[in-house]
Amino acid sequence: MKPAVAAMTWNLNQIRQTVFWLILVTLPWQTRWFQEGTWLGGFPWEQGRISIYISWILILVCMILRLASTRRPCAREDPSVQLASSFVPLHHPGNNTIETIKMKLLSGTHPFFHSDGSSRAQGRRTKRTFSLIVGILFFLSVLLHTSSPRATFQFCLEWFMLGLFFWSSLDLSFGFKKFSIGYALSLLPSTIFGLWQYGVQMVPAIKYAGVALQSPLVRGVSVIEAAGERVLRIYGTFPHPNIFAGWLTVAIFLLLLTIPLLIKRWQQYAVVFWINLSLIALILTFSRAALIALCVGGLVALCLSTIRKTYVALPIRFIVSAVMITSLVVGFTFLQTRHLWLVRAQSTTRLEQRSVNERTQSLEDGIKIFRTHPCLGV
């Protein structure tokens, strides 16, 4: 590979990684252009709006860079050179051990497996093209057989952008530790903002950050009714507390798996502090489903020997101190909000009963719709 081509490839990969991190940072924010749709129950119908999020622009940039990287000059290298490089002598100075060659061969990362003219690569491309065509036809058929083309179009558009983001970043090589820290960092502003919301009991309107005004005195805002008062559930930068809670749950799991990968002790304690901050925010979202998911996921993780072995290597003193700190923080937070969580757990108040009834009705309606239109919906 020529030096100029190598420099161009390196710069392109660096740009792609930078765009990926920018996407991860902007995903929690709801900055968007939208066109108002119809009203439902006296309120704007969120799913009926056509919305273009700022993160989608970055996803399109990431897609263009991915296409550019697959067409760089080095991808048209002579196949004979690739084939010859796959049979370098085992004791060549560039090879460390025989086991390294075996691992490359077994894992499919050896250059021999990446010949562009191979029938296996051609078969994979054919399968991907066929899957893409089937997916496009399916979404088009759904759009043609729906009672609300606007809402269905927005749904298909969101799934398309999600798939595009996954595809455009599929070949980027990120370590688990780096991705976990990056994901959690993207939620840090939202976490701090959410804790502040609980303290002042309101969400201020920030136009260019995509944050809508939320007051517990206004109907339609997610609150807990207890002892005659309406307590705001924290939103962070998300459109609903349950969505915020879902993101926090994933972040907590990733940070827990990252702790054994850190070498310095202060870094491990910093992650423990970070986890406790996220747990406080998760509790203040008052999301029952997210809390149950966190507990069930934690029990499942404890049953996996691979995860247990990573924590066995940590010093006992650190594990005990981390558990004690987390227990105190979580216990104190639950103690301060126990009357609100009792309301959420009992589901006997007006709002909680209404929430349960609406979810039950939605489930029953969904089953009826599926039976009537099993393939395309409505």
Side-chain angles (χ1 to χ4, degrees):
M1 186 186 296
K2 296 181 180 179
V5 174
M8 182 188 69
T9 303
W10 184 86
N11 290 333
L12 186 59
N13 289 333
Q14 290 296 315
I15 294 173
R16 289 184 61 199
Q17 291 185 15
T18 303
V19 173
F20 175 84
W21 294 120
L22 287 175
I23 293 172
L24 208 60
V25 169
T26 56
L27 278 176
W29 299 87
Q30 307 303 308
T31 306
R32 59 175 172 166
W33 172 89
F34 65 88
Q35 183 182 19
E36 283 289 359
T38 57
W39 287 62
L40 188 66
F43 296 95
W45 187 20
E46 178 65 27
Q47 287 75 18
R49 290 173 171 172
I50 299 298
S51 301
I52 305 296
Y53 291 84
I54 190 173
S55 57
W56 291 3
I57 300 175
L58 294 173
I59 291 175
L60 291 176
V61 172
C62 195
M63 179 202 70
I64 294 172
L65 293 175
R66 167 72 189 271
L67 292 174
S69 67
T70 57
R71 288 170 172 79
R72 62 182 184 268
C74 61
R76 295 190 293 268
E77 187 176 354
D78 188 357
S80 63
V81 177
Q82 292 184 353
L83 188 61
S85 64
S86 64
F87 293 100
V88 176
L90 293 179
H91 298 287
H92 188 272
N95 295 327
N96 294 328
T97 60
I98 296 177
E99 286 73 14
T100 304
I101 301 295
K102 291 180 178 179
M103 290 300 296
K104 287 185 176 181
L105 291 172
L106 291 174
S107 61
T109 59
H110 201 270
F112 179 77
F113 291 95
H114 296 277
S115 176
D116 291 337
S118 66
S119 59
R120 183 178 300 178
Q122 183 64 33
R124 287 196 297 267
R125 284 195 294 268
T126 303
K127 290 180 180 178
R128 287 197 296 265
T129 304
F130 177 76
S131 301
L132 179 62
I133 294 174
V134 171
I136 293 175
L137 292 176
F138 176 78
F139 280 121
L140 289 176
S141 62
V142 171
L143 285 172
L144 295 174
H145 298 81
T146 176
S147 59
S148 178
R150 181 191 292 264
T152 306
F153 174 78
Q154 180 65 26
F155 175 80
C156 294
L157 183 61
E158 291 177 0
W159 272 97
F160 174 75
M161 296 305 298
L162 178 63
L164 195 62
F165 175 51
F166 177 76
W167 173 82
S168 61
S169 56
L170 191 61
D171 64 331
L172 292 177
S173 56
F174 291 117
F176 177 79
K177 180 174 66 175
K178 187 175 181 180
F179 173 79
S180 301
I181 297 297
Y183 178 91
L185 270 175
S186 70
L187 281 180
L188 188 58
S190 188
T191 302
I192 297 174
F193 188 40
L195 296 177
W196 179 83
Q197 292 168 8
Y198 186 79
V200 299
Q201 280 298 292
M202 70 163 295
V203 181
I206 308 176
K207 179 178 180 180
Y208 294 103
V211 178
L213 175 65
Q214 307 286 355
S215 172
L217 302 178
V218 178
R219 289 179 56 197
V221 177
S222 187
V223 298
I224 306 292
E225 282 189 345
E229 62 176 343
R230 292 165 59 91
V231 180
L232 181 73
R233 299 171 59 189
I234 64 174
Y235 282 71
T237 57
F238 291 85
H240 195 276
N242 289 345
I243 302 176
F244 184 26
W247 279 67
L248 285 171
T249 302
V250 175
I252 291 170
F253 273 123
L254 292 177
L255 289 175
L256 284 172
L257 296 176
T258 304
I259 291 178
L261 305 178
L262 301 173
I263 299 176
K264 296 182 179 179
R265 191 69 62 223
W266 70 267
Q267 294 177 342
Q268 295 175 342
Y269 276 109
V271 172
V272 171
F273 172 79
W274 201 342
I275 291 173
N276 281 276
L277 197 67
S278 301
L279 283 170
I280 295 174
L282 177 62
I283 293 171
L284 296 180
T285 61
F286 297 97
S287 174
R288 294 168 294 193
L291 201 62
I292 292 173
L294 182 65
C295 295
V296 173
L299 292 175
V300 172
L302 289 175
C303 296
L304 299 177
S305 59
T306 304
I307 297 178
R308 289 202 308 270
K309 289 178 181 178
T310 58
Y311 271 88
V312 167
L314 295 174
I316 298 297
R317 180 181 299 178
F318 167 76
I319 295 177
V320 172
S321 60
V323 171
M324 288 183 61
I325 293 172
T326 304
S327 300
L328 290 174
V329 170
V330 172
F332 179 78
T333 307
F334 269 118
L335 186 64
Q336 294 297 314
T337 58
R338 62 187 182 279
H339 61 293
L340 301 175
W341 272 104
L342 284 175
V343 172
R344 289 289 284 170
Q346 294 173 358
S347 299
T348 56
T349 62
R350 180 181 65 87
L351 289 180
E352 301 307 316
Q353 189 62 45
R354 178 182 174 184
S355 175
V356 173
N357 292 339
E358 288 178 351
R359 295 186 185 191
T360 303
Q361 186 63 42
S362 298
L363 179 61
E364 294 175 354
D365 292 342
I367 295 174
K368 293 178 182 178
I369 292 172
F370 178 77
R371 288 177 177 174
T372 308
H373 308 279
C375 296
L376 303 179
V378 294

